[in-house]
């Protein structure tokens, strides 16, 4: 081979290698060359979490539709449309991780939105840090997810510890109003998961600081999908507690509360954590049996009465989905996408590092309780918005009873059913 | 303290009824075919859904729908045997091939349920779902009492069928020695089909009864299968009386464990007991009998 020809070949190979390297480097694609922003996500669209996965998809779809309706996201001096590449992770950890990896390394998405469920998010979020790509999720609340000091992981679900604390804050108000005994004896019963442990921590930390206003008389956990809570409820009954505070998923809520009612138990305050007002629970247990159950959730459509952003979201959601009210799942999906869009806009370029930097100190008006979404390093980039406490009333409604500034109704401190 | 112990004893007896109901089908199929029916959990789930559909669409009380669920699940079991299980070599029927095959059947059932009913949790709520009766100073769930009744009646009926009918005697004979049965003119294939059908019907019945107590979704059935397995092994494979007693022992141990253990560990007690029994008495607490 002639020397000039060989030299030209070497130059071409070097140029190709440089191009390949440039393409592989994170955040390398300049905004000017981008025709659109591609965001990857997986959701559990089939499998055990299919129902909620579908709800999150509705939130994502609405956020992307709204962003593109106005021409896309303002990036620097031009608007770029956003495209969502969504895959079904089948509610399994391994699939969630491998699909996220594929989205990053085969589809070359610019950013990632998260899946739903603490266990899936915990596993999948490693892909974000490994590939240095911002990963924004609204589906993983367990505190331990954010205690790993990941730099590219951002979560909009407030920790479940706050759920326990917010419930206790409302209970404290009722105790100070003389509706609950002082000290109040508490049974804290929690599912043996990260979710349940966080709930228990929230309650017990509050009790420790209460100066003797509360005593934890029963502190028990249980395995998921329990078949019999008779012995556990017997322990609660024997302890003679005033407050029955449980953290349970829907199936255990239904099984445990059926046995609770059958055992003739009644407590001044009954809560199953985030569970309480779901249609499925009311149907399975009967409206009369879930009266005065207190629950805490990350978001409620009732916030539309107090927050313009929540009102706009509810209206847009109803218009797109046949008049149906959104639940917190859709709201968190929508808000996660919006948080990512806001960070991209603030960064002014489609650059992973620049967007990560914006997310790491993000503060934006939000439809979440409190009206502002803040992400900061102090809390492991996990939002700390208050929970919305609701209570099932005799008329079938479940108004927000706490925090007071967003309350749509007055809570009932001492369960009137116990007086019967 | 006495009241607490009575509470726990009542809980244990009612729980035993549920465990026994779940385990009879698994024990019957293993006792005769030597097949560990991994689809058992899937059929329990299917039984729950059939009852739920009948309750929701035809407003049929779950206890009145027992015959329909039993017949439907019998047919499912018979078809599964004829189409799939019988093609396994007889000697290898209880081996890895049948485990894989029946696990596959379970996956098909589960995904069919996802397709038909989505992953939502469902429950059957009747007028008596949360009703209880006061007895011995404690409250007894009407539903759990009914399940206990079924758990007591089922082995009696099975015992009668196995001891007093030609079909029952044939099933027992095939369970003991299928080759000799062939020599004396018993249609072993037919007996296997019927037995697999009855075992599957019992699993469906357990699912229906469980649906009156718990919520369920397409993923349900795995914990039921595990408990059934523990009960069947503890009781001695192929022994109905042993199965009933093992269910009672398991329930008593699990329920009373709360007096000394945290609640979340009580479920593990049964599995520890299983390991101990397998080491000390591999034939189960009541020995290995064939359908007695």
């Amino acid at each position: 081979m002639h020397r000039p020809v060989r030299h030209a070949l070497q130059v071409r190979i070097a140029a190709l290698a440089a191009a390949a390297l440039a393409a592989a480097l994170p955040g390398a694609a300049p905004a000017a060359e981008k025709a659109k922003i591609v965001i990857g996500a997986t959701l559990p669209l089939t499998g055990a979490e299919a129902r909620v996965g579908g709800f999150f998809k509705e939130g994502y779809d609405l956020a992307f539709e709204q962003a593109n309706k106005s021409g896309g996201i303002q990036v620097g001096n031009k608007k770029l449309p956003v495209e969502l590449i969504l895959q079904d992770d089948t509610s399994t950890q391994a699939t969630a991780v491998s699909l996220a990896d594929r989205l990053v390394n085969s589809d070359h998405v610019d950013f990632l939105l998260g899946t739903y469920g603490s266990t899936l998010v915990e596993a999948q979020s490693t892909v974000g840090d490994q590939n240095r790509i911002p990963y924004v999720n609204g589906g993983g609340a367990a505190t331990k997810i954010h205690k790993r000091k990941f730099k590219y992981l951002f979560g909009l679900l407030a920790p479940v510890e706050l759920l326990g604390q917010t419930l206790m804050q409302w209970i404290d108000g009722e105790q100070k109003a003389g509706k609950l005994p002082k000290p109040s004896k508490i049974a804290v019963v929690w599912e043996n998961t990260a979710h349940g442990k966080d709930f228990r921590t929230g309650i017990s930390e509050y009790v420790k600081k209460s100066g003797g206003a509360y005593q934890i008389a029963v502190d028990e956990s249980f395995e998921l999908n329990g078949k019999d809570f008779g012995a556990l409820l017997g322990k609660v009954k024997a302890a003679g507690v005033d407050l029955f505070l449980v953290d349970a998923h829907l199936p255990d809520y239904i099984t445990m509360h059926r046995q609770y009612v059958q055992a003739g138990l009644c407590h001044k305050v009954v809560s199953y954590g985030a569970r309480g007002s779901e249609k499925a629970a009311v149907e399975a247990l009967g409206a009369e049996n879930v009266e005065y159950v207190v629950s805490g959730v990350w978001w409620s459509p009732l916030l539309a009465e107090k927050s313009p952003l929540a009102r706009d979201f509810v209206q847009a959601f109803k218009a797109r989905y046949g008049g149906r009210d959104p639940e917190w799942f859709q709201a968190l999906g929508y808000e996660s996408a919006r948080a990512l869009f806001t960070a991209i806009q603030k960064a002014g370029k489609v650059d992973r590092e620049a967007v990560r930097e914006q997310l790491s100190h993000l503060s934006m008006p939000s439809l979440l309780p409190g009206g502002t979404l803040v992400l900061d390093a102090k809390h492991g980039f996990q939002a700390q918005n208050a929970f919305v406490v609701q209570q099932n009333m005799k008329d079938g409604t479940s108004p927000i009873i706490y925090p007071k500034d967003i309350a749509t109704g007055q809570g009932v401190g001492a369960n009137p059913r116990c007086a019967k | 303290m006495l009241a607490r112990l009575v509470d726990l004893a009542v809980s244990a007896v009612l729980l035993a009824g549920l465990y026994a109901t779940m385990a009879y089908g698994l024990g019957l199929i293993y006792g005769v075919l030597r097949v560990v029916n991994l689809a058992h959990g899937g059929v329990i789930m299917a039984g729950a859904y059939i009852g739920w559909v009948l309750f929701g669409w035809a407003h049929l009380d779950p206890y009145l729908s027992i015959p329909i669920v039993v017949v439907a699940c019998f047919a499912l079991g018979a078809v599964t045997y004829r189409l799939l299980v019988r093609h396994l070599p007889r000697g290898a029927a209880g081996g890895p091939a049948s485990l894989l095959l029946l696990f596959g059947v379970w996956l098909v059932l589960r995904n069919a349920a996802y397709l038909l009913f989505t992953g939502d949790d469902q429950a059957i709520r009747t007028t008596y779902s949360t009703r209880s009766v006061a007895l011995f100073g404690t409250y007894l769930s009407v539903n759990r009492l009914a399940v206990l009744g079924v758990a007591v009646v089922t082995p009696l009926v099975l015992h009668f069928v196995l001891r007093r009918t030609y079909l029952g005697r044939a099933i027992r004979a095939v369970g003991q020695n299928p080759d000799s049965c062939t020599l004396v003119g018993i249609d072993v294939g037919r007996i296997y089909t019927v037995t697999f059908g009855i075992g599957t019907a019992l699993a469906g019945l357990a699912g229906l009864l469980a649906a009156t107590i718990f919520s369920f979704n397409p993923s349900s059935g795995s914990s039921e299968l595990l408990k059934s397995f523990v009960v069947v092994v503890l009781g001695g494979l192929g022994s109905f009386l042993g199965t009933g007693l093992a269910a009672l022992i398991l329930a008593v141990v699990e329920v009373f464990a709360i007096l000394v253990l945290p609640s979340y560990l009580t479920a593990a007690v049964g599995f520890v007991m299983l390991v101990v029994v397998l080491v000390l008495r591999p034939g189960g607490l009541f020995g290995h009998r064939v359908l007695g």
Side-chain angles (χ1 to χ4, degrees), chain A residues 53 56 70 75 234 239 246 254 268 297 305-306 332 339 361:
Chain A
F56 264 80
S70 56
V75 181
V246 185
I254 291 172
K268 292 184 173 65
V297 287
E305 292 180 27
K306 304 277 180 176
L332 264 295
H361 54 79

Side-chain angles (χ1 to χ4, degrees), chain B residues 180-202:
Chain B
S180 300
C181 290
T182 308
L183 291 175
V184 297
I186 294 174
D187 186 345
V188 174
R190 185 171 152 266
I191 295 299
Y192 278 158
T193 305
V194 170
T195 307
F196 206 91
I198 294 173
T200 308
L202 289 170

Side-chain angles (χ1 to χ4, degrees), chain A residues 64-106:
Chain A
F64 277 75
E65 183 187 83
Q66 284 186 348
N68 287 327
K69 200 178 275 180
S70 56
I73 301 173
Q74 188 72 41
V75 181
N77 57 3
K78 64 188 281 193
K79 281 197 165 188
L80 290 178
V82 276
E83 182 192 344
L84 176 66
I85 301 180
L86 184 65
Q87 308 277 5
D88 174 15
D89 59 39
T90 68
S91 310
T92 55
Q93 281 185 332
T95 310
V97 173
S98 65
L99 284 178
D101 197 60
R102 200 167 84 190
L103 284 167
V104 175
N105 295 307
S106 295

Side-chain angles (χ1 to χ4, degrees), chain A residues 47-48 50-51 192 220-223 225-228 230-232 234-235 237-238 250-251 254-255 258-259 261-264 280 282-289, chain B residues 4 7-8 11 15 18-19 114 119-121 123-125 129-132 137-139 141 144 211-215 217 219 223-224 255 258 261-264 267:
Chain A
R51 174 175 161 270
N192 192 17
E220 284 282 355
S221 65
F222 59 89
E223 288 302 299
N225 300 315
K227 296 293 167 234
D228 184 72
L232 180 57
K235 197 166 185 174
K237 186 179 173 184
L250 187 61
I254 291 172
T255 305
R258 270 191 179 174
Q259 285 194 263
V261 174
Q262 285 163 349
V282 175
E283 283 174 359
L285 293 160
E288 70 282 10
N289 292 316
Chain B
R4 178 94 199 278
D7 267 356
L8 292 177
S11 278
L15 185 61
L18 184 70
Y19 284 171
Y114 273 123
D120 292 2
D121 291 302
I124 295 177
R125 187 173 80 88
S129 283
T130 50
R131 200 166 288 169
S132 55
T138 187
Y139 291 92
S141 155
R144 285 181 183 250
T212 64
I213 299 173
F214 315 117
S215 66
N217 60 45
S219 289
S223 66
E224 287 81 354
V255 168
I258 200 164
L261 286 175
S263 176
Y264 74 95

Side-chain angles (χ1 to χ4, degrees), chain A residues 7-21:
Chain A
H7 177 72
L9 193 62
Q10 284 170 340
V11 169
R12 274 182 211 166
I13 290 170
L16 276 172
L21 186 65

Side-chain angles (χ1 to χ4, degrees), chain B residues 141-152:
Chain B
S141 155
V142 170
N143 255 331
R144 285 181 183 250
L145 277 174
V147 171
L148 179 65
V150 174
V152 172

Side-chain angles (χ1 to χ4, degrees), chain B residues 81-253:
Chain B
Y81 181 81
R82 297 300 295 177
L83 291 183
L84 302 171
V85 181
R86 81 185 174 104
H87 296 295
L88 296 170
R90 191 182 286 176
S98 72
L99 290 177
L100 288 172
L101 178 74
L102 291 163
F103 184 64
V105 171
W106 185 4
L107 292 182
V108 169
L109 287 173
R110 176 185 290 187
N111 285 290
Y114 273 123
L115 196 66
L116 291 170
F117 307 112
T118 74
D120 292 2
D121 291 302
Q122 307 293 354
I124 295 177
R125 187 173 80 88
T126 59
T127 51
Y128 50 85
S129 283
T130 50
R131 200 166 288 169
S132 55
V133 290
L135 202 68
F136 310 126
T138 187
Y139 291 92
L140 280 75
S141 155
V142 170
N143 255 331
R144 285 181 183 250
L145 277 174
V147 171
L148 179 65
V150 174
V152 172
V153 168
T154 302
L156 294 178
V157 171
L158 284 172
H159 187 81
F160 175 81
V161 170
L162 290 170
R163 293 276 166 183
R164 301 292 170 91
T165 65
Y166 172 79
L167 174 68
R169 283 193 284 268
I171 288 174
R172 286 167 53 217
V174 169
Q176 287 171 8
N177 193 331
D179 295 330
S180 300
C181 290
T182 308
L183 291 175
V184 297
I186 294 174
D187 186 345
V188 174
R190 185 171 152 266
I191 295 299
Y192 278 158
T193 305
V194 170
T195 307
F196 206 91
I198 294 173
T200 308
L202 289 170
L205 171 64
L208 172 66
L209 296 175
T212 64
I213 299 173
F214 315 117
S215 66
F216 54 91
N217 60 45
S219 289
S220 301
S222 47
S223 66
E224 287 81 354
L225 174 67
L226 270 177
K227 292 284 180 196
S228 307
F229 190 69
V230 173
V231 168
V232 167
V233 173
L234 284 180
L237 293 158
S239 163
F240 289 124
L241 180 64
T243 300
L245 287 173
L248 184 61
I249 291 169
L250 178 67
V252 166
V253 170

